[in-house]
Amino acid sequence: MPQHFKIIRLILGDQLNIQHTWFNTLDPSVAYVLMEVKCESEYVTHHIQKVVAIFSAMRQFAAVLASHGHHVHYIKINDPQNQHDFCKNLEELKAQWQAHEIAYQQPDEYRLEAYFKRAFPDITPVDAQHFLTSKEEFKALFEGKKTYLMETFYRKMRVKHQVLVDSANQPIGGKWNFDQDNRKKVPKHHQFLTTELKGEDCSEVYEDILKAKIETIGNINPRQFHWTTTRTEAMELLEEFVDKALPLFGTLQDAMTENHWYLYHSRLSFALNVKLIHPLEVIRRVEQAYVEDPERYSLNQIEGFIRQILGWREYMRGIYWAKMPEFASLNYFGNKAALPSWFWTGNTKMNCLRHAIKQSLEHAYAHHIQRLMVTGNFALLLGVHPDHVDRWYLGIYIDAFEWVEITNTRGMSQFADGGIVGSKPYVSSAAYVQKMSNYCEGCSYNYQDKFGEKACPFNTLYWDFYVRNRPLLERNPRIGMMYKVWDKMGEAQQQKIREKAAFIKQHVETL
Ligand SMILES: Cc1cc2nc3c(=O)[nH]c(=O)nc-3n(C[C@H](O)[C@H](O)[C@H](O)COP(=O)(O)OP(=O)(O)OC[C@H]3O[C@@H](n4cnc5c(N)ncnc54)[C@H](O)[C@@H]3O)c2cc1C
Ligand code: SF4
């Protein structure tokens, strides 16, 4: 007996939000459709763990929906009837089921929004019911302005959602920001309190991906897969984070170490970005920890964490929708260089880069400061074209979806937007890495030297960056000082720096 449904509702791989109002009622005339399509797995070369995590989360989400009594149709990557195109698959099902309506949720990516608008011009998508700020609110905030400060936005969000504010809408603790307490290095002999989650077996999904011949990067142990792919696991991870990591989150937020791959970070980004968990659930849980035990959870830990989700995450999404599609081609410095080939292997003698890249290949994860001040910093100093940098970040990280990847990479990290996201480029010499990590201790290069065979490449590339971009940066009030220092250096020293930087750029593959 052929099945008939009146309405087909599409669920994308990053729309696994069981709390969506779509699922509040059981309706036998509705079929929910999820599909694994090749084009989504191949528009950039993804980390194998990212593809496994998404397919695995989708399959388990479909099973949960079905267990609640909804009708679910799931098209796997190797199913013979899969046409690997959302629209073609949907049209075929529509004809087969004699359905008269297709519905979809607002996609998070510009590329997909444009695709669905073209494919279904008469359909208005429904809200994905995940973010705390609507696209329209953002457009209004950015209207007529070149920049809109994250800090201003964040304070508005604290008041709007009544997070860490008192009855007069003033910040609890008397300050909106406790960043100055949060820049500590990991103490020597520190015993980490965080533990590894027990891994799940994802061999079946992994085998399907191999069979489909999807090109991927990175490593995986399919029998011990440690990313959260269900809502239950995401809630467990949140509890684990609150219990073990939150008490030190803020203090060691910017620290880096060879001894631990996520330190006191939450690893919630994947679960958040595929919507297994809602940002307000995370924020309220963290706030509750503070209210119940302010001795253990000091305000700098709590505020530092909440700012990432209530502030940065929402803000980046706002920038994305306010500035796309132009944002994707911004290249303020006109950078042209290629990414060194060792970005794909980690085979470099530079310890910070070796560690951050090898860890990314191993876990599909690096924490924020590794992404910003190691790999991102080096790419910017080298003058790599932002398209190459974007492709690398979009592929390698478990949490990389364009709305949050490109704003962080092209905007915050590469300053290719000329100052929409940040007021100055995040660049540094070896001094920053040395201050915030133990990488320099085990490095073949010397963090204190500029010249000579063992000199850390960051040190001269740093000056070279400022010098070559002088016309674009000199008038920036947060940078002007750098040029005063440069001008005082003397011609001979300046020449030596230029020559050393040119040599490094020429021999970057051998660093
Ligand atoms: C060059 C670069 C590329 C990045 N690409 C991505 C990306 O593709 N996807 C992504 O989710 N994040 C990205 N980030 C932001 C941040 O590095 C990650 O969100 C974070 O490392 C994820 O790990 P976590 O869950 O342990 O984060 P935690 O440190 O525990 O932070 C908690 C949560 O805050 C949010 N958050 C923190 N910082 C940011 C930020 N700058 N922008 C948006 N949300 C933030 C995330 O949802 C994160 O899960 C990028 C940062 C940089 C510098
Ligand atoms: S010396 Fe330079 S290259 Fe080596 S770890 Fe330190 S900053 Fe990185």
Side-chain angles (χ1 to χ4, degrees), residues 350-352 430 433 439-440 443 445 447 456 458:
M350 303 174 76
N351 199 34
C352 53
V433 178
Y439 290 145
C440 299
C443 187
Y445 294 100
Y447 73 90
C456 172
F458 276 96

Side-chain angles (χ1 to χ4, degrees), residues 265-269 273 308 365 368 371 399-400 405 408:
H265 292 272
S266 68
R267 292 165 297 153
L268 280 165
S269 50
N273 292 354
Q308 307 310 316
Y365 179 91
H368 187 70
R371 299 185 203 196
D399 52 30
E405 175 280 324
N408 271 292

Side-chain angles (χ1 to χ4, degrees), residues 350 377-383 427-429 450 456-468 497 500-505 508 511:
M350 303 174 76
N377 183 14
F378 190 79
L380 180 55
L381 294 182
L382 201 60
V427 285
S428 80
S429 64
K450 278 200 196 66
C456 172
F458 276 96
N459 292 339
T460 39
L461 287 179
Y462 175 67
W463 281 113
D464 183 68
F465 166 83
Y466 277 119
V467 173
R468 72 173 185 267
I497 289 176
K500 178 72 180 177
F503 180 87
I504 289 170
K505 285 197 265 187
V508 69
L511 289 177

Side-chain angles (χ1 to χ4, degrees), residues 125-378:
V126 304
D127 193 272
Q129 300 173 7
H130 175 81
F131 291 99
L132 306 172
T133 327
S134 72
K135 283 184 187 179
E136 291 66 37
E137 277 178 83
F138 274 118
K139 285 223 162 91
L141 286 175
F142 282 101
E143 200 68 60
K145 302 187 187 86
K146 188 193 169 218
T147 55
Y148 183 76
L149 285 183
M150 193 316 264
E151 192 60 33
T152 317
F153 169 77
Y154 168 59
R155 291 180 192 187
K156 272 189 199 294
M157 292 295 276
R158 289 265 294 270
V159 173
K160 180 178 166 194
H161 293 281
Q162 292 292 292
V163 176
L164 299 180
V165 289
D166 61 22
S167 54
N169 287 334
Q170 290 307 304
I172 285 182
K175 283 193 298 187
W176 294 99
N177 185 318
F178 289 82
D179 246 3
Q180 77 277 20
D181 302 331
N182 288 354
R183 300 204 172 109
K184 307 274 189 305
K185 195 171 177 164
V186 179
K188 264 206 164 35
H189 312 302
H190 178 75
Q191 293 289 322
F192 279 91
L193 305 170
T194 38
T195 47
E196 290 287 347
L197 289 181
K198 80 175 167 36
E200 298 289 330
D201 192 335
C202 66
S203 306
E204 195 183 316
V205 180
Y206 176 64
E207 294 299 330
D208 284 352
I209 292 165
L210 288 188
K211 197 168 153 210
K213 296 193 168 46
I214 295 170
E215 195 190 331
T216 57
I217 49 169
N219 310 327
I220 188 167
N221 177 354
R223 278 173 299 282
Q224 278 273 302
F225 191 62
H226 55 69
W227 287 105
T228 50
T229 51
T230 64
R231 178 168 167 79
T232 309
E233 286 170 4
M235 298 307 275
E236 281 167 14
L237 181 61
L238 174 60
E239 286 310 312
E240 157 93 12
F241 167 71
V242 169
D243 183 35
K244 306 243 175 63
L246 185 58
L248 276 176
F249 174 86
T251 309
L252 295 177
Q253 186 179 1
D254 288 359
M256 298 177 282
T257 173
E258 281 191 294
N259 307 330
H260 204 286
W261 63 277
Y262 58 88
L263 291 90
Y264 292 95
H265 292 272
S266 68
R267 292 165 297 153
L268 280 165
S269 50
F270 176 78
L272 277 163
N273 292 354
V274 298
K275 306 185 182 58
L276 289 171
I277 194 165
H278 192 274
L280 266 187
E281 285 179 292
V282 179
I283 291 166
R284 296 286 181 226
R285 178 66 188 92
V286 165
E287 209 184 7
Q288 180 200 350
Y290 169 70
V291 171
E292 287 174 0
D293 192 350
E295 292 282 299
R296 180 159 191 246
Y297 299 102
S298 57
L299 206 45
N300 64 308
Q301 325 294 343
I302 303 295
E303 190 281 315
F305 184 77
I306 286 178
R307 177 148 27 93
Q308 307 310 316
I309 297 183
L310 190 60
W312 280 111
R313 187 168 185 267
E314 292 285 320
Y315 175 77
M316 289 310 207
R317 176 169 172 272
I319 300 251
Y320 182 76
W321 285 108
K323 303 291 176 187
M324 281 294 277
E326 299 76 23
F327 200 88
S329 54
L330 296 177
N331 184 0
Y332 185 63
F333 297 121
N335 284 338
K336 293 191 182 69
L339 207 57
S341 62
W342 43 257
F343 259 73
W344 303 99
T345 62
N347 293 334
T348 164
K349 298 189 285 297
M350 303 174 76
N351 199 34
C352 53
L353 281 149
R354 181 174 61 224
H355 187 267
I357 295 169
K358 283 200 186 281
Q359 176 195 306
S360 303
L361 291 166
E362 189 60 29
H363 295 291
Y365 179 91
H367 70 72
H368 187 70
I369 297 299
Q370 291 175 304
R371 299 185 203 196
L372 186 66
M373 298 311 293
V374 177
T375 41
N377 183 14
F378 190 79

Side-chain angles (χ1 to χ4, degrees), residues 465-477:
F465 166 83
Y466 277 119
V467 173
R468 72 173 185 267
N469 294 309
R470 187 165 189 159
L472 292 171
L473 295 177
E474 190 170 22
R475 277 190 298 282
N476 184 322

